[in-house]
Amino acid sequence: MQLVDVRLGGPGARYALNAYGLTTAELVVRPAESPRGVVRLEHAQVGAFRDSPALWLGRSARGSVLVDGFTYGALNDTRSADARKRLHWFERVSNGYSPALYDQLAAAYQRAGQDEMAETVLIARQHRRYAAAGPAGRIWGALQRWTVGYGYRPWLAVCWLIGLWALGSVWFVGHEPVPVDADQNPVWNPWIFAADTLLPIVNLGQDGYWRLEGASQWIAGTLVAAGWILATTAAAGAARILKRV
């Protein structure tokens, strides 16, 4: 089915295109101008879907293109129309958060070999998901976004760990604490101490031997909390990725 350089809808028309439940090997919707009316693609099953900006950037926005249950195997212009541009198109017309919309788009990019764009879509999916949650959900979502990229960018957690470890080490280089038990004669190493404080569960032989006071106590507490937050968000992100494998 091909609709190229045509005018869809007209004055007073409710639907510019009604393709509800359509099943076809190919659907091409490239109108000459923005549709005048609602475009229904709900529950349509399409092998290859080819479109143009005119379909999405119409005079109206929310609800102008209905895509609930719309599935497609391949998408045109996966290179020229990047993920952020398509996300803008889809989010402009969608009524609220629709997980399937993001999943379909990400799958199309993956099938086209555009893994980076698929990742961008999946990150946007999680961002919209948590944005629609309550205050606690938004806070948890923000932590996952900036620390591990919702699990899709685990290297962010490594960057945070290295940065916090370096800052903590620099502080403790100039602020050596006193031993809890001088008879044990522990050897002070600020670099290992910062890592031991930051990394949860791991014991590097420095934690527990020193009496921290004042600002050092607060900094050590911050490192402990940051380490657990990073570990928790990384585990949550990894679990999400494993569910999709």
Side-chain angles (χ1 to χ4, degrees):
M1 181 176 179
Q2 297 189 6
L3 300 170
V4 181
D5 293 331
V6 298
R7 289 179 172 82
L8 299 176
R14 181 179 180 184
Y15 296 118
L17 172 64
N18 190 348
Y20 183 95
L22 174 71
T23 300
T24 182
E26 182 183 49
L27 176 62
V28 182
V29 185
R30 291 177 171 173
E33 60 183 29
S34 300
R36 297 186 179 185
V38 176
V39 174
R40 295 191 73 184
L41 300 176
E42 299 162 296
H43 303 289
Q45 299 180 24
V46 176
F49 178 55
R50 310 188 188 284
D51 60 355
S52 67
L55 173 63
W56 307 98
L57 305 179
R59 296 176 179 82
S60 59
R62 301 293 179 193
S64 59
V65 183
L66 305 178
V67 294
D68 287 345
F70 176 45
T71 60
Y72 47 89
L75 186 66
N76 71 300
D77 299 333
T78 54
R79 294 182 183 273
S80 59
D82 63 24
R84 288 183 176 84
K85 184 181 295 184
R86 282 202 170 275
L87 284 170
H88 170 68
W89 294 353
F90 288 1
E91 291 173 353
R92 184 175 183 273
V93 301
S94 63
N95 287 316
Y97 168 63
S98 175
L101 185 151
Y102 296 89
D103 291 339
Q104 280 290 315
L105 183 58
Y109 279 122
Q110 287 173 335
R111 283 190 289 268
Q114 301 294 306
D115 292 337
E116 186 175 343
M117 290 190 183
E119 181 182 278
T120 298
V121 174
L122 293 172
I123 289 175
R125 178 187 189 275
Q126 295 300 326
H127 181 64
R128 285 293 299 273
R129 172 193 172 193
Y130 286 108
R138 286 193 289 270
I139 292 173
W140 177 239
L143 284 173
Q144 292 197 66
R145 179 185 181 187
W146 295 111
T147 55
V148 291
Y150 300 112
Y152 298 104
R153 294 174 179 171
W155 53 267
L156 284 175
V158 177
C159 293
W160 278 104
L161 285 171
I162 293 174
L164 290 169
W165 168 75
L167 290 173
S169 298
V170 169
W171 171 265
F172 288 118
V173 163
H175 300 81
E176 181 177 347
V178 297
V180 173
D181 186 354
D183 294 335
Q184 292 183 347
N185 195 28
V187 178
W188 170 247
N189 188 313
W191 305 95
I192 297 179
F193 178 80
D196 205 359
T197 305
L198 179 62
L199 299 175
I201 302 176
V202 177
N203 186 351
L204 300 178
Q206 284 284 316
D207 191 21
Y209 290 97
W210 309 96
R211 181 181 294 111
L212 301 176
E213 298 177 348
S216 293
Q217 193 173 24
W218 285 99
I219 289 174
T222 300
L223 291 177
V224 171
W228 278 105
I229 290 172
L230 287 170
T232 304
T233 53
R240 183 180 302 111
I241 297 299
L242 290 174
K243 286 181 181 179
R244 300 183 62 87
V245 175

